[in-house]
Amino acid sequence: MSDQHTHVVVIGGGYAGTVAVNGLRQRTDADITLVNPRADFVQRIRLHQFVAGTGTATVDYDSLLGDGVRLLVDAAARIDSDTRTVKLASGRKLDYDYLIYAVGSTGGTSSAMPGAAEFAYPIAEFEYAQRLRDRLADLPPDAPITVVGAGLTGIEVAAELAEQGRTVRLVCGGTLAPSLSAPGRRSVAKRLSRLGVEVLETAAVAEVRSDAVVFDNGAVLPSAVTVWTTGFGVPELARVSGLRTDALGRLLTDETLTSIDDDRVVAAGDAAAPSGQPLRMSCQAAGPMGAQAATTVLSRIAGEQPATINQAFLGSCISLGRRAGIFQVARRDDTPLDVFIAGRAGAAIKEAVCKSTLWGIRREATKPGSIHWRKGGRRPARGELLG
Ligand SMILES: Cc1cc2nc3c(=O)[nH]c(=O)nc-3n(C[C@H](O)[C@H](O)[C@H](O)COP(=O)(O)OP(=O)(O)OC[C@H]3O[C@@H](n4cnc5c(N)ncnc54)[C@H](O)[C@@H]3O)c2cc1C
């Protein structure tokens, strides 16, 4: 680099990446570029509302990014650690001194499931959610909808659509809300039943058709739209760039969130796997990880040893339509306790949590360095899992 500034490129403008760019502004001589494929921030935690027509999911980056952060609307196609460059989908190249990898997660369908790629509708990315929203707009209100996958996302989608008068079936393929405590699960089941959602707990889907789902016992039920929410994947960028990843494709880092291959590359959010033991994919973890990634880069620029992560979870929050929700309290390591807050109070907490994610990003924009880890969760030491 010919100028005196340190160039930091952050790939991915989600919860982790926006906190990271704002946190980097603690250093006034850093030249900060955020690369993101869309010109607006996507609140993924509201995509089920966007689909059901009960909320919006995009926010103007102008209201989230601190002064001096350059937003480049493009996608990273490859990271070259040797030359410290990022090749962009547009063909441009960006030089960096440090890079923060915050590409988040994806929500595709399973290629192993017959018919899913052709006929099922994922929801976990904005464009997918938009496609589903458009499809729903063409359907009569009583057309049968099947939601496959009864994790937190599947439950939120099913409840949101049912509350809007849709006919919804939720296929669990095992357990409803496996990450909740037994009493929490019972409370969710009660609310779904009140909303008229048909919950098929043990049934599993074997094939998706354009107008039906086929179950593993051979039963065929009509389904005008089949929504696919069986889990998140991650972008392939780290893998195609030759950086080591876990089996899913999350960038392997140490406990400072630094890539085990390159100390100029730091990762945060859903796409990071610290010590091969990734945190639960959530904005609850992504925001603090973004702050930590910024701190790690700032420490390295200053020639100091970066701190290690020390995340503790509070619990999980699920909306069950607009009028109810559940806040499941968890131990610091994210295992659920038999304690939860349900009903309208649960909905109010969930709404406050959603608002607080944007509030946190904006606070970091006006006061860089204000987000810290909630301390206490035990993390393995470097080398404990990655020999
Ligand atoms: C319907 C739904 C409800 C949810 N509810 C909750 C909840 O209640 N609580 C909770 O904690 N979590 C929830 N989550 C999960 C949460 O949204 C994610 O864990 C969170 O978004 C992760 O943040 P992130 O910054 O790592 O990634 P993201 O928010 O996914 O951001 C990553 C960004 O990187 C961009 N990107 C990807 N590839 C590239 C590339 N090659 N070049 C440039 N940019 C790229 C993406 O387009 C995106 O803008 C929910 C998710 C969904 C889908």
Side-chain angles (χ1 to χ4, degrees), residues 31-55:
D31 176 274
I32 306 158
T33 304
L34 175 64
V35 182
N36 194 73
R38 295 175 209 89
D40 290 314
F41 175 86
V42 173
Q43 293 189 79
R44 290 179 71 204
I45 60 175
R46 291 204 194 268
L47 284 178
H48 59 297
Q49 287 183 248
F50 173 66
V51 161
T54 59

Side-chain angles (χ1 to χ4, degrees), residues 10-18 35-38 40-49 61 74-77 88 102-106 123-125 152-153 156-157 232 235 237 268-271 280-287 317-319 350 353-354:
V10 178
I11 306 179
Y15 297 92
T18 49
V35 182
N36 194 73
R38 295 175 209 89
D40 290 314
F41 175 86
V42 173
Q43 293 189 79
R44 290 179 71 204
I45 60 175
R46 291 204 194 268
L47 284 178
H48 59 297
Q49 287 183 248
Y61 273 116
D74 209 326
L88 301 174
V103 295
S105 53
T106 58
I123 183 177
E125 290 170 65
L152 307 190
T153 305
E156 288 196 322
V157 181
F232 294 162
L237 180 60
D270 287 0
R280 170 162 59 90
M281 289 187 181
S282 58
C283 35
Q284 194 176 157
C317 236
I318 316 176
S319 63
K350 171 75 185 194
V353 165
C354 288

Side-chain angles (χ1 to χ4, degrees), residues 92-317:
R92 288 179 62 180
K93 278 190 178 174
L94 276 182
D95 295 328
Y96 66 84
D97 296 303
Y98 291 91
L99 182 136
I100 295 181
Y101 185 82
V103 295
S105 53
T106 58
T109 52
S110 163
S111 55
M113 175 62 63
E118 296 93 317
F119 304 121
Y121 287 76
I123 183 177
E125 290 170 65
F126 181 72
E127 291 72 17
Y128 289 143
Q130 198 156 35
R131 178 174 156 255
L132 174 56
R133 187 182 151 112
D134 292 347
R135 173 74 184 122
L136 290 171
D138 292 340
L139 287 183
D142 59 348
I145 297 169
T146 306
V147 178
V148 183
L152 307 190
T153 305
I155 291 168
E156 288 196 322
V157 181
E160 202 77 29
L161 291 173
E163 201 182 59
Q164 295 309 304
R166 298 283 185 175
T167 305
V168 184
R169 172 191 307 129
L170 179 62
V171 184
C172 306
T175 314
L176 174 72
S179 62
L180 299 191
S181 65
R185 272 201 294 278
R186 281 197 292 276
S187 172
V188 169
K190 210 162 123 190
R191 178 66 191 162
L192 289 174
S193 162
R194 280 220 183 116
L195 289 169
V197 177
E198 181 191 5
V199 177
L200 303 180
E201 190 131 11
T202 52
V205 169
E207 184 190 339
V208 181
R209 296 180 183 161
S210 62
D211 57 356
V213 280
V214 182
F215 290 88
D216 53 358
N217 64 3
V220 182
L221 290 179
S223 180
V225 163
T226 301
V227 185
W228 204 260
T229 69
T230 58
F232 294 162
V234 293
E236 288 282 296
L237 180 60
R239 212 194 316 252
V240 299
S241 301
L243 295 163
R244 271 181 289 174
T245 66
D246 70 359
L248 194 69
R250 288 172 282 221
L251 186 76
L252 284 173
T253 75
D254 66 14
E255 291 293 296
T256 70
L257 299 180
T258 305
S259 160
I260 60 169
D261 295 310
D262 183 351
D263 65 8
R264 297 286 182 141
V265 176
V266 176
D270 287 0
S275 300
Q277 279 211 327
L279 299 163
R280 170 162 59 90
M281 289 187 181
S282 58
C283 35
Q284 194 176 157
M289 286 173 99
Q292 169 70 28
T295 306
T296 292
V297 168
L298 295 173
S299 298
R300 291 199 187 282
I301 296 171
E304 295 161 4
Q305 178 59 33
T308 58
I309 59 170
N310 193 11
Q311 166 82 356
F313 284 92
L314 291 164
S316 33
C317 236

